[in-house]
Amino acid sequence: MNSSAPLAAFVRRHPRLFVLTGAGCSTESGIPDYRDGNGEWKRPAPVTYQAFMGDELTRRRYWARSMIGFPVMSGARPGAAHLALAKLECAGKVGLLLTQNVDGLHSAAGSRSTIDLHGRIDTVRCMACGIHSPRAALQADLLRRNPRWAGFEARIAPDGDADLDGRDFASFDVPACAHCGGVLKPDVVFFGESVPPQRVADARSALAECDAVLVAGSSLMVYSGFRFVQAAVTAGKPVAAVNLGRTRADDLLTLKVQQPVGEALAELVAGLS
Ligand SMILES: [Zn+2]
């Protein structure tokens, strides 16, 4: 009996899973985690919605860091956790995969029944007219407008931006919406911003159709994800978690697997076939 046996038993017992994933699924793909094993911030907290919308210099700083971090984000490839969860869906075990990640790697791995709870970093939205556009197109525009910045290397954060401490961001040139002149924002839910209600409602109805919850690579420190575990427990549905380190839901879990998430899920999928 290997270490994945309890998780395999959990999945066999509960054929339709609501899978909730977090940053731990993407660390193997080179996108670092925000939080350490105790759920504490590893680096300064990311920009808030209020600061982004309320202050032009904050926006220049955000987009400068984002422009330099973008190649790592856009070049990331699915890792073992993403691939295993796509196979789990193929095997008919996944009712919904709800991810707190914004990197799109579950879709890239082949998962189809997914909701991106916090949006997608590969998409940009105009906050005035609501039009969506590809982040890659904005990247080309940012590089054209800011050739001096293009060569900087920096450490990359999970939301695709980079550390550029001490730079003068006032000169960084950020385009407005080409259609209406409005403020462009990544189509991701910032800290201090609400998840769109329809997205939450869709995830809740999927949860109602599922037998159990499998948390993969999340410390559940952000309430927008944690509330689905609370809702599952309230509805009497068991919750298993694969995560290295503490989660906010540790006292609510039926099963906790302390193992690297890619390794644990790959073993799980291999054991099911
Ligand atoms: Zn617009």
Side-chain angles (χ1 to χ4, degrees), residues 47-54 59 62-63 66 102 118-128 130-135 138 174-177 182-194 196 199:
V47 63
T48 64
Y49 175 78
Q50 288 74 16
F52 186 91
M53 293 308 296
R59 288 197 294 277
Y62 177 89
W63 284 117
S66 174
V102 298
H118 295 152
R120 287 276 294 257
I121 200 74
D122 61 3
T123 306
V124 173
R125 184 159 67 102
C126 170
M127 299 307 283
I131 197 166
H132 288 82
S133 56
R135 173 67 181 79
L138 177 62
V174 179
C177 172
V183 169
L184 297 179
K185 178 180 166 294
D187 194 22
V188 302
V189 176
F190 277 25
F191 283 77
E193 185 178 9
S194 298
R199 210 178 283 167

Side-chain angles (χ1 to χ4, degrees), residues 82-220:
H82 306 106
L83 297 169
L85 289 169
K87 285 180 187 161
L88 204 60
E89 182 182 314
C90 274
K93 305 284 186 190
V94 178
L96 179 73
L97 189 157
L98 178 67
T99 185
Q100 303 171 92
N101 299 341
V102 298
D103 52 39
L105 290 177
H106 288 297
S107 300
S111 286
R112 289 293 165 260
S113 181
T114 62
I115 292 180
D116 299 290
L117 184 62
H118 295 152
R120 287 276 294 257
I121 200 74
D122 61 3
T123 306
V124 173
R125 184 159 67 102
C126 170
M127 299 307 283
C129 73
I131 197 166
H132 288 82
S133 56
R135 173 67 181 79
L138 177 62
Q139 181 71 5
D141 198 6
L142 288 171
L143 288 168
R144 189 178 56 75
R145 288 166 182 262
N146 302 282
R148 248 179 6 94
W149 292 72
F152 292 149
E153 303 229 340
R155 288 193 301 138
I156 308 303
D159 52 356
D161 67 7
D163 288 328
L164 284 175
D165 295 336
R167 302 279 175 193
D168 175 17
F169 295 100
S171 66
F172 192 81
D173 183 11
V174 179
C177 172
H179 300 272
C180 79
V183 169
L184 297 179
K185 178 180 166 294
D187 194 22
V188 302
V189 176
F190 277 25
F191 283 77
E193 185 178 9
S194 298
V195 176
Q198 187 58 52
R199 210 178 283 167
V200 176
D202 290 348
R204 280 195 184 271
S205 30
L207 177 60
E209 302 295 314
C210 290
D211 308 306
V213 174
L214 172 62
V215 178
S218 175
S219 58
L220 298 168

